[in-house]
Amino acid sequence: MAVVACRLVVSGRVQGVGFRHATLEAARALGVAGWVRNLPDGTVEAFAQGASAEVERFVAWCRHGPPLARVDGVEVGDAAVDADCTRFDWKLGSEL
């Protein structure tokens, strides 16, 4: 299986609505590794890697998010695969 990776920045009403927690659950259900975190500008950033089909499904999920979110946009860019990243989790560092 070829592994692909991408970085996403999700904008809209995505903080304070359970977006990170729901993202973690969606990624784990899809078998995608990576991380998610809030950024100071009100967006949510995620890194995802795995099989192409699962990563595509994850990106599609991020385009709508959980029920209380309002996603206005998702920027998706290619990223380098991280061999040390084996599960999906929270990432600390830019948390509010």
Side-chain angles (χ1 to χ4, degrees), residues 5-77:
C6 67
R7 177 183 171 268
L8 302 90
V9 177
V10 185
S11 60
R13 190 178 67 222
V14 293
Q15 290 190 15
V17 294
F19 196 94
R20 287 179 304 150
H21 180 74
T23 300
L24 183 134
E25 289 182 346
R28 288 183 177 174
L30 290 167
V32 172
W35 48 262
V36 63
R37 67 178 170 183
N38 283 341
L39 295 180
D41 65 359
T43 61
V44 170
E45 178 184 27
F47 167 79
Q49 71 180 26
S52 180
E54 280 75 17
V55 171
E56 287 177 22
R57 285 199 265 299
F58 175 75
V59 171
W61 181 90
C62 287
R63 292 191 189 283
H64 61 79
L68 294 177
R70 186 196 73 242
V71 176
D72 293 336
V74 179
E75 296 176 28
V76 182

